[in-house]
């Protein structure tokens, strides 16, 4: 997409948001400024590709709509310089709050400080900005990894050769990696034979290429820990291409409708994932920003608890979509994190 087309697309989106804001009458019984309406927020992502991030954005949009908020969305293209520029653009637009969704901490510290200096409230999701004034929304990444790895040990015992999909420098992956290191230290029989992975706008396919080389060089790998669903999708693709799906078990984190369909299909090696509902996490991020703008107390660490989802559970319950999962596992569909009596529930 050219720069001109990106600008036109953003302008169109902003115009729609302004129309919604102009028609909002505020929330009855809400604190200022939500009682009058016209609040502007920005959601600035580092990654937009993939079902998880699309669902996260949809949840944020739904919560913003319920609050009568004008939400400006800046799409992520895995470009640190562009994300910095987007934060500066949001500041210049006069938003009252900014949600930063992922990113590289070293490239964001000074620009988010500029926002704070102007009185703009900032919330971070899965990026550690190391600032006590910025609440951190997390999926309890340690718990995600613990749930997935506990299941891996339950299924395979404490002695197996593993492949590990991981890219350092991303807060959620780094936190999940801490658990992986602890599990290996506690179980000498779990041997990490190879480490691979790539985060880009083609994460699944580029990871698949790496995984193929790994499996060919290490045919004794029987378990893969891929704590990001795009990694898991790539590993599954590689296994299918090499005809080794029946010799492999994949354990992951995160989930989407597309993931569910890949997990439950016949012969799939993707046997379990630990996940939160990304739409719920998106809604929580917007609520955290709203609470700050209203002058209410927000904890520095906001945790959205995950659940374990296994291939067997999905098949037995006939789950084929995220909506099915939310209906049949209530803990997946709601969170009481960062809420208040005056904040309406989001419909998604």
């Amino acid at each position: 997409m050219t720069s001109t087309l990106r600008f036109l697309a953003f302008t169109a989106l902003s115009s729609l948001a302004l129309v919604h804001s102009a028609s909002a009458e505020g929330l009855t019984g809400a604190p200022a400024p939500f009682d009058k309406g016209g609040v502007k927020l920005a959601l600035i992502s580092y990654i937009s590709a993939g079902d998880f991030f699309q669902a996260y954005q949809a949840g944020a949009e739904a919560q913003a709509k319920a609050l009568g908020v004008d939400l400006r969305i800046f799409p992520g293209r895995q470009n640190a310089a562009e994300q910095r520029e987007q934060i500066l653009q949001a500041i210049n637009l006069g938003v009252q709050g900014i949600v930063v969704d992922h990113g590289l901490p070293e490239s964001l510290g000074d620009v988010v400080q500029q926002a704070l200096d102007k009185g703009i409230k900032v919330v971070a999701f899965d990026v550690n900005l190391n600032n006590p004034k910025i609440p951190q929304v997390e999926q309890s990444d340690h718990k995600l990894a613990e749930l997935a790895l506990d299941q891996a040990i339950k299924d395979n015992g404490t002695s197996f050769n593993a492949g590990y999909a991981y890219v350092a420098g991303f807060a959620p992956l780094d936190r999940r990696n801490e658990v992986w290191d602890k599990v290996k230290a506690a179980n000498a029989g779990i041997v990490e034979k190879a480490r691979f992975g790539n985060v880009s706008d083609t994460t699944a396919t580029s990871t698949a290429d790496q995984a193929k080389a790994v499996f060919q060089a290490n045919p004794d790998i029987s378990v893969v820990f891929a704590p990001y669903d795009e990694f898991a999708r790539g590993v599954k693709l590689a296994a299918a291409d090499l005809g080794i799906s029946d010799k492999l078990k994949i354990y992951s984190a995160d989930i989407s409708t597309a993931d569910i369909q890949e997990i439950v299909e016949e012969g799939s090696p993707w046997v379990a994932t630990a996940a939160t509902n990304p739409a719920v996490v998106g809604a929580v991020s917007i609520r955290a920003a709203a609470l700050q703008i209203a002058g209410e107390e927000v904890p520095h660490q906001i945790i959205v608890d995950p659940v374990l989802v296994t291939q067997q559970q999905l098949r037995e319950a006939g789950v084929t979509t995220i909506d099915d999962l939310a209906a049949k596992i209530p803990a997946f569909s709601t969170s009481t994190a960062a809420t208040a009596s005056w904040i309406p529930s989001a419909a998604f």
Side-chain angles (χ1 to χ4, degrees), residues 101-306:
D101 166 23
H102 288 76
L104 304 179
E106 61 272 18
S107 70
L108 297 172
D110 60 329
V111 287
V112 296
Q113 187 59 53
Q114 289 183 45
L116 293 171
D117 290 344
K118 291 183 177 293
I120 298 170
K121 304 302 182 183
V122 179
V123 172
F125 167 52
D126 269 355
V127 54
N128 186 4
L129 297 179
N130 295 307
N131 191 313
K133 293 184 179 179
I134 300 176
Q136 303 279 148
V137 178
E138 300 175 12
Q139 304 177 76
S140 185
D141 291 290
H142 291 112
K143 187 67 174 177
L144 281 166
E146 288 167 3
L147 288 170
L149 289 170
D150 284 351
Q151 186 65 35
I153 290 171
K154 180 180 178 181
D155 293 345
N156 303 280
T158 57
S159 182
F160 54 80
N161 292 324
Y164 178 42
Y166 170 62
V167 175
F170 295 90
L173 296 180
D174 291 342
R175 288 190 289 264
R176 297 169 194 183
N177 181 64
E178 291 170 2
V179 177
W180 173 240
D181 285 342
K182 288 180 181 178
V183 167
K184 287 188 298 177
N187 299 278
I190 297 176
V191 179
E192 181 184 313
K193 300 286 288 189
R195 181 175 295 201
F196 57 96
N198 178 263
V199 175
S200 68
D201 55 356
T202 58
T203 294
T205 54
S206 55
T207 298
D209 291 338
Q210 294 180 356
K212 279 194 235 182
V214 164
F215 293 144
Q216 289 169 332
N218 301 276
D220 55 344
I221 288 176
S222 59
V223 171
V224 175
F225 181 42
Y228 170 28
D229 59 344
E230 292 295 307
F231 288 164
R233 186 175 286 123
V235 173
K236 177 177 175 290
L237 178 61
D241 285 349
L242 294 174
I244 60 170
S245 295
D246 60 337
K247 300 175 182 178
L248 199 67
K249 290 182 180 178
I250 303 168
Y251 300 84
S252 74
D254 307 325
I255 199 166
S256 68
T257 291
D259 294 341
I260 291 170
Q261 292 168 357
E262 293 206 39
I263 291 169
V264 300
E265 74 180 22
E266 186 67 27
S268 173
W270 193 347
V271 295
T273 190
T276 58
N277 185 334
V280 171
V281 182
V284 167
S285 300
I286 295 299
R287 295 202 301 261
L291 287 169
Q292 284 198 100
I293 292 167
E296 300 191 13
E297 288 295 322
V298 178
H300 180 66
Q301 190 177 46
I302 301 169
I303 300 296
V304 181
D305 289 326

